[in-house]
């Protein structure tokens, strides 16, 4: 999910009310499969009812450049995954956030304390915006 530049000030997730993500199978890697198919079969969504879908909730991470020049520019380029009953993604500041897919409530987050300063000597920037492109899920017995 790549959002246009105008959305850098607000991270927006929208879900639809006619699909219950709680009952969905895990979408544990980018594009749902190692081959990147980006496909999931939902019998509840059809060409006949697509116009009736509504926004269920939105979530804003707050991890964006404030435009002051002190914080590097940001770009949201992550693809959220559905794993272990949670919607999980990373922010431009590399925080990983897990959300309840039914309500949008934040369940937990991990902050690696990335240096976000524009001129940070420790952050050898190539001039590109701060970004995190995605996470993946793994579990074992």
């Amino acid at each position: 999910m790549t959002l246009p530049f105008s959305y850098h000030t607000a991270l927006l997730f929208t879900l639809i009310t006619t699909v219950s993500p709680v009952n969905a199978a895990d979408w544990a890697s980018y594009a749902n499969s190692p081959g990147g198919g980006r496909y999931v079969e939902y019998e509840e969504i059809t060409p006949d009812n697509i116009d009736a879908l509504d926004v269920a909730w939105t979530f804003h991470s707050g991890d964006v450049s404030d435009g002051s020049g002190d914080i590097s520019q940001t770009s949201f380029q992550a693809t959220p995954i559905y794993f272990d009953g949670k919607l999980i993604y990373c922010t431009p500041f590399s925080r990983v956030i897990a959300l309840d897919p039914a309500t949008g409530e934040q369940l937990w987050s991990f902050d690696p304390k990335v240096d976000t300063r524009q001129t940070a000597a420790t952050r050898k920037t190539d001039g590109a915006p701060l970004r995190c492109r995605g996470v993946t899920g793994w579990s074992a017995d």
Side-chain angles (χ1 to χ4, degrees), residues 15-17 19-22 56-57 82 85 87 99-105:
L15 291 179
I16 48 181
T17 57
V19 175
S20 173
V22 175
W57 53 263
Y82 179 75
L87 186 65
L99 305 173
D100 179 319
T103 66
E105 176 187 353

Side-chain angles (χ1 to χ4, degrees), residues 4 7 40 51 60 75 97-98 103 107 113 122 137:
Y7 283 93
V40 63
D51 291 339
H60 302 266
S75 176
I97 297 176
T103 66
L107 301 173
K113 308 286 188 216
T122 58

Side-chain angles (χ1 to χ4, degrees), residues 87-109:
L87 186 65
I88 304 171
Y89 77 102
C90 59
T91 73
F93 295 171
S94 294
R95 281 193 317 131
V96 178
I97 297 176
L99 305 173
D100 179 319
T103 66
E105 176 187 353
Q106 182 173 315
L107 301 173
W108 56 260
S109 70

Side-chain angles (χ1 to χ4, degrees), residues 5-128:
F5 184 77
S6 62
Y7 283 93
H8 284 191
T9 58
L11 172 60
L12 172 68
F13 281 120
T14 60
L15 291 179
I16 48 181
T17 57
T18 58
V19 175
S20 173
V22 175
N23 296 327
D26 280 350
W27 187 303
S29 62
Y30 172 77
N32 191 33
S33 64
R38 295 185 177 154
Y39 177 77
V40 63
E41 188 171 324
Y42 282 124
E43 294 176 1
E44 298 93 347
I45 300 174
T46 69
D48 295 331
N49 67 12
I50 192 83
D51 291 339
L53 299 178
D54 294 314
V55 174
W57 53 263
T58 60
F59 181 84
H60 302 266
S61 76
D63 284 5
V64 295
S65 174
D66 62 6
S68 68
D70 295 330
I71 297 175
S72 293
Q73 289 182 333
T74 54
S75 176
F76 181 74
Q77 299 179 8
T79 300
I81 63 170
Y82 179 75
F83 183 73
D84 195 26
K86 299 166 190 68
L87 186 65
I88 304 171
Y89 77 102
C90 59
T91 73
F93 295 171
S94 294
R95 281 193 317 131
V96 178
I97 297 176
L99 305 173
D100 179 319
T103 66
E105 176 187 353
Q106 182 173 315
L107 301 173
W108 56 260
S109 70
F110 170 74
D111 187 350
K113 308 286 188 216
V114 169
D115 190 344
T116 62
R117 294 174 293 173
Q118 178 73 25
T119 58
T122 58
R123 196 172 88 75
K124 304 292 186 202
T125 180
D126 58 0

